[in-house]
Amino acid sequence: MNSTQSSPIAFFIIQGLASLGEKKMVLFIIFLLAYTVILGGNIMIIYLVRTDPKLGSPMYFFLHNLSIVDMIYTTVTIPNMLSGFLTEVKTVSVPGCFLQMYCFIHMSVTGRALLTAMAYDRYVAICNPLRYAALMTRPVCLLLIIGAWTFGAICTFPTTSMAMQRSYCGPNVVRHCWCDPSSVRLLVCGDTQVDNIVSLSSALVALLTTGVLILTSYILIGVKIAKMGAAERLKAFSTCAAHLTVVSISYSSASFVYISYRVGNFSPEVRIIVSVLYSALTPFLNPMIYSLRNKELRAAIKRAFCRHRRLTAEPQNTQHTVLTAKHSTHCPDSKTLNTLS
């Protein structure tokens, strides 16, 4: 029977970081700014990929989808956490809690699956450059995207379906900033050993499958790069530097969160803060890393800025247009932008 029918409780209380007192406002400002940067940076990437024809390669198609996942992933958790900072008691309905749990796990796994698809894209670009266009066609890219979302759904279903079938007893206080699966599981009426095994198995499948495939891709890339000359080696490394940086940050932070949950010396508040930082870190850094380390994306930002300037200059009179043309060195053409980047 579904828990929403059999459970003696109708809602959960999200405890969050209530014990921090006045420090909550400081965290509220920090995470509000971080969430604003996450939305702004990822919206910028989505806009650039959709509007700039020079960003039509598979890598930017995957990056576009990764930005969508990052926005959903953080929107599921951070706004709920921010509202908890401003209220004495933060509640969520039982169905709403399970929906948040599903979206949180699904987006987390899908994000790693997309990073795996991007690793394969980099492998083909470096190891089979002559066949890249034939291998990375639009249908293939769409299949990889669908596969990433499907893999996320498959890994999410066992944990959330078991959680929905459980009965929950009081106290109905979730000791986290959102409906974290392990925190909600503590409120189950009965033994949760099977739930723990299923949850851990799903997490290991998600992490190890994507991790092994990414590692394999980069081992093959490393072997190929080792056979190249110095100039080709530098070019190949710059091709995958941004993706490798994002992958390293994602998996190292995930490992730190896992350790913090297993080490008893950390207080519950520290564990929650570590978990929150982990959920926001990669979406926060992704736009910055790809913008700073990618010449094409930097050039696209300049082109978008120049298009905006030209559009705002159109309603002006002819004299102003002539003056703008005389000083048009601030907005060079696309070829010049690519050279300057």
Side-chain angles (χ1 to χ4, degrees):
M1 184 177 295
N2 192 291
S3 65
T4 58
Q5 299 174 343
S6 61
S7 175
I9 60 176
F11 61 88
F12 292 110
I13 298 174
I14 307 298
Q15 184 182 33
L17 298 169
S19 60
L20 294 182
E22 296 180 355
K23 295 179 182 178
K24 289 194 298 183
M25 290 309 299
V26 177
L27 290 175
F28 173 83
I29 294 173
I30 291 174
F31 284 109
L32 178 61
L33 292 175
Y35 183 58
T36 303
V37 172
I38 289 170
L39 290 183
N42 285 287
I43 288 173
M44 176 194 69
I45 289 178
I46 293 171
Y47 171 77
L48 291 175
V49 175
R50 284 179 175 270
T51 59
D52 197 315
K54 290 185 177 294
L55 300 182
S57 66
M59 180 179 70
Y60 296 109
F61 180 63
F62 294 132
L63 182 59
H64 168 273
N65 282 271
L66 182 63
S67 293
I68 294 175
V69 168
D70 284 345
M71 288 177 62
I72 299 174
Y73 180 58
T74 51
T75 300
V76 166
T77 55
I78 295 183
N80 191 70
M81 179 187 66
L82 292 175
S83 65
F85 286 146
L86 301 177
T87 56
E88 292 296 329
V89 179
K90 174 65 179 177
T91 62
V92 60
S93 65
V94 174
C97 182
F98 292 139
L99 178 62
Q100 185 185 59
M101 183 189 299
Y102 177 85
C103 292
F104 176 75
I105 302 173
H106 191 180
M107 293 304 106
S108 177
V109 178
T110 302
R112 282 184 169 74
L114 287 173
L115 289 175
T116 306
M118 295 171 76
Y120 174 72
D121 174 72
R122 295 299 83 199
Y123 159 74
V124 176
I126 293 174
C127 298
N128 296 284
L130 298 179
R131 299 185 60 200
Y132 181 79
L135 292 174
M136 298 302 294
T137 59
R138 193 70 171 183
V140 170
C141 293
L142 287 172
L143 283 175
L144 289 172
I145 294 296
I146 294 171
W149 284 83
T150 304
F151 179 72
I154 292 173
C155 292
T156 305
F157 181 75
T159 301
T160 53
S161 62
M162 291 191 70
M164 291 176 65
Q165 294 171 12
R166 292 295 189 179
S167 295
Y168 295 86
C169 307
N172 56 340
V173 179
V174 178
R175 300 183 184 278
H176 209 283
C177 286
W178 57 78
C179 290
D180 175 69
S182 58
S183 301
V184 173
R185 199 174 301 126
L186 296 174
L187 309 179
V188 170
C189 304
D191 184 32
T192 59
Q193 185 175 359
V194 176
D195 304 61
N196 292 330
I197 294 174
V198 170
S199 180
L200 180 61
S201 300
S202 299
L204 288 176
V205 168
L207 288 172
L208 292 179
T209 301
T210 56
V212 168
L213 290 175
I214 291 173
L215 183 61
T216 302
S217 297
Y218 274 105
I219 289 175
L220 296 174
I221 289 173
V223 172
K224 182 69 175 181
I225 290 177
K227 301 176 181 178
M228 296 179 177
E232 291 180 326
R233 190 176 302 170
L234 183 62
K235 182 179 179 181
F237 179 77
S238 64
T239 301
C240 55
H243 177 262
L244 185 59
T245 303
V246 170
V247 169
S248 301
I249 293 174
S250 177
Y251 280 86
S252 59
S253 58
S255 301
F256 187 76
V257 171
Y258 178 82
I259 293 172
S260 71
Y261 271 77
R262 295 297 181 272
V263 176
N265 296 333
F266 289 108
S267 65
E269 290 77 12
V270 172
R271 292 176 182 174
I272 292 174
I273 292 175
V274 168
S275 179
V276 170
L277 290 174
Y278 161 70
S279 66
L281 183 62
T282 305
F284 179 83
L285 293 177
N286 275 356
M288 298 182 185
I289 293 172
Y290 281 103
S291 298
L292 293 175
R293 301 192 66 92
N294 189 290
K295 293 181 179 180
E296 291 182 353
L297 201 56
R298 291 201 305 269
I301 294 173
K302 295 175 185 177
R303 288 193 295 270
F305 176 73
C306 291
R307 286 198 304 270
H308 175 72
R309 286 191 61 184
R310 293 190 187 102
L311 289 174
T312 56
E314 282 180 0
Q316 304 298 327
N317 57 34
T318 307
Q319 183 179 1
H320 180 73
T321 305
V322 173
L323 289 174
T324 304
K326 290 181 179 179
H327 298 281
S328 62
T329 52
H330 295 290
C331 285
D333 59 19
S334 303
K335 183 177 180 180
T336 307
L337 281 171
N338 290 330
T339 304
L340 292 175
S341 349

